[in-house]
């Protein structure tokens, strides 16, 4: 049995949000396009200045093939970053895993760009040694490790920024929830609400006494109450983090949340990390 405040139980990155990952990939694509364009221009001018001019398409092919490869593996790097989250302890084994991943991705990089460049050169009726980049692997490895570390670092920063509650953006959480009951209106202080459960087209607000039905979806309530300290523990259930006394894991990966008033709520393993992550 482990308490919510136990650092050993605080694991994993912020909850996965596919839209944020896609937006991140769009930003990476835009930044990489600018970087690769300037890099290709620099390579072209350096060769021209050294007396070994290149056809303009050659440095473009070199940079584009590397860019295409890293864009293709970026989602895999995101998965590794989430799976071996560097915000957790022990840190050393996770750093070792990331180091191994960087070396493997670098090795695949030189093999992939060799094949891609060979195909591109053939299209221009020119020759390229498909294994040529492999001979330069020690040089490429240094660059690839930096690229890998940059992708991981920026992705971690992106996740943490996107996971900040609405209050960080200047939006104050609602302290009182207005609940309509026919002609009557109840003004419920959020500090009185312990947990929220889906009930068809309604949600049921559980306080110290009887529950109170409120016409709203659970997803809507999750968005509205996130900044007030509520977190989803099940597909049909939210709980106020401050009301949780401890969390008990089950062999299936599911868990039981024990509230400070003694009541117990079932939680799904899908939502374990969001509950135990700050």
């Amino acid at each position: 049995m482990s308490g919510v405040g136990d650092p050993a139980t605080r694991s994993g990155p912020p909850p996965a949000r596919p839209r944020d990952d896609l937006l991140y990939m769009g930003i990476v694509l835009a930044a990489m396009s600018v970087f690769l364009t300037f890099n290709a221009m620099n390579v072209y001018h350096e060769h021209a200045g050294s007396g070994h001019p290149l056809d303009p398409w050659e440095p473009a092919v070199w940079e584009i093939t590397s860019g295409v490869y890293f864009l293709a593996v970026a989602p895999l790097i995101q998965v590794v970053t989430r799976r071996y989250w560097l915000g957790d302890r022990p840190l050393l084994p996770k750093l070792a895993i990331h180091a191994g991943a960087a070396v493997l991705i670098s090795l695949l990089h030189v093999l992939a760009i060799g094949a891609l460049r060979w195909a591109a050169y053939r299209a221009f009726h020119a020759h390229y040694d498909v294994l040529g980049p492999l001979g330069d692997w020690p040089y490429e490895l240094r660059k690839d490790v930096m690229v890998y570390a940059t992708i991981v670092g920026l992705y971690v920063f992106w996740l943490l920024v996107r996971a900040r509650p609405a209050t960080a953006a200047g939006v104050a959480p609602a302290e009182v929830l207005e609940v309509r009951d026919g002609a009557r209106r109840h003004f419920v202080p959020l500090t009185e609400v312990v947990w929220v459960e889906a009930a068809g087209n309604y949600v049921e607000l559980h306080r110290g006494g009887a529950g109170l039905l409120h016409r709203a979806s659970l997803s809507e309530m999750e968005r509205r109450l996130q900044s007030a300290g509520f977190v989803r523990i099940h597909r049909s259930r939210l709980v106020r983090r401050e009301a949780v006394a401890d969390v008990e894991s089950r062999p299936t990966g599911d868990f039981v949340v024990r509230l400070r008033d003694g009541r117990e709520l079932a939680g799904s393993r899908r939502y374990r990390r969001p509950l135990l992550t700050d």
Side-chain angles (χ1 to χ4, degrees):
M1 189 178 301
S2 58
V4 173
D6 184 358
T9 64
R10 298 179 181 271
S11 60
R17 292 190 287 193
R19 176 182 294 181
D20 283 352
D21 281 359
L22 288 175
L23 182 56
Y24 172 79
M25 286 300 298
I27 294 173
V28 169
L29 175 60
M32 188 173 291
S33 298
V34 174
F35 173 78
L36 295 179
T37 298
F38 280 98
N39 208 32
M41 294 171 63
N42 289 336
V43 171
Y44 176 78
H45 287 295
E46 286 174 2
H47 278 74
S50 65
H52 301 86
L54 298 169
D55 287 330
W57 59 266
E58 289 188 85
V61 166
W62 299 349
E63 299 302 324
I64 290 173
T65 51
S66 285
V68 166
Y69 172 79
F70 275 106
L71 282 175
V73 300
L76 176 61
I77 296 176
Q78 290 176 319
V79 171
V80 175
T81 303
R82 285 185 175 278
R83 179 66 180 84
Y84 303 99
W85 185 246
L86 295 175
D88 292 345
R89 295 183 180 182
L91 183 60
L92 190 58
K94 294 179 177 61
L95 287 174
I97 290 171
H98 279 285
V103 171
L104 177 60
I105 284 176
S106 177
L107 177 59
L108 295 176
H109 175 222
V110 295
L111 294 175
I113 62 176
L116 292 172
R117 292 172 185 178
W118 175 85
Y121 269 64
R122 281 197 55 139
F124 285 97
H125 305 290
H127 173 72
Y128 188 89
D129 182 4
V130 69
L131 295 179
L134 188 59
D136 294 329
W137 187 33
Y139 168 74
E140 294 291 343
L141 178 60
R142 293 194 297 270
K143 295 195 304 180
D144 293 347
V145 169
M146 290 299 297
V147 172
Y148 179 92
T150 299
I151 292 176
V152 170
L154 291 177
Y155 186 52
V156 169
F157 176 76
W158 173 258
L159 289 177
L160 294 177
V161 168
R162 298 294 290 180
R164 290 194 305 179
T167 50
V171 179
E175 296 181 356
V176 176
L177 189 65
E178 180 182 344
V179 180
R180 297 188 179 185
D181 181 12
R184 299 180 61 187
R185 295 186 181 186
H186 301 272
F187 295 93
V188 182
L190 291 185
T191 54
E192 294 182 2
V193 180
V194 179
W195 55 289
V196 183
E197 188 169 28
N201 294 328
Y202 292 78
V203 293
E204 187 171 4
L205 308 176
H206 292 271
R207 300 177 288 175
L212 181 65
L213 288 177
H214 175 51
R215 189 173 181 84
S217 68
L218 193 68
S219 296
E220 177 185 346
M221 293 301 298
E222 181 181 20
R223 290 191 299 270
R224 184 171 181 183
L225 299 180
Q226 181 182 14
S227 58
F230 285 79
V231 63
R232 187 186 287 256
I233 62 169
H234 189 272
R235 59 186 295 268
S236 61
R237 200 168 295 124
L238 308 175
V239 67
R240 185 158 57 90
R241 193 189 296 271
E242 292 180 355
V244 177
D246 58 65
V247 177
E248 182 177 356
S249 299
R250 299 301 192 200
T252 60
D254 294 337
F255 57 95
V256 173
V257 171
R258 186 168 292 106
L259 303 178
R260 297 189 184 279
D261 62 8
R263 287 180 291 184
E264 295 183 350
L265 304 175
S268 171
R269 58 183 176 181
R270 175 182 176 186
Y271 300 101
R272 178 178 175 81
R273 284 184 174 177
L275 172 64
L276 300 179
T277 302
D278 281 334

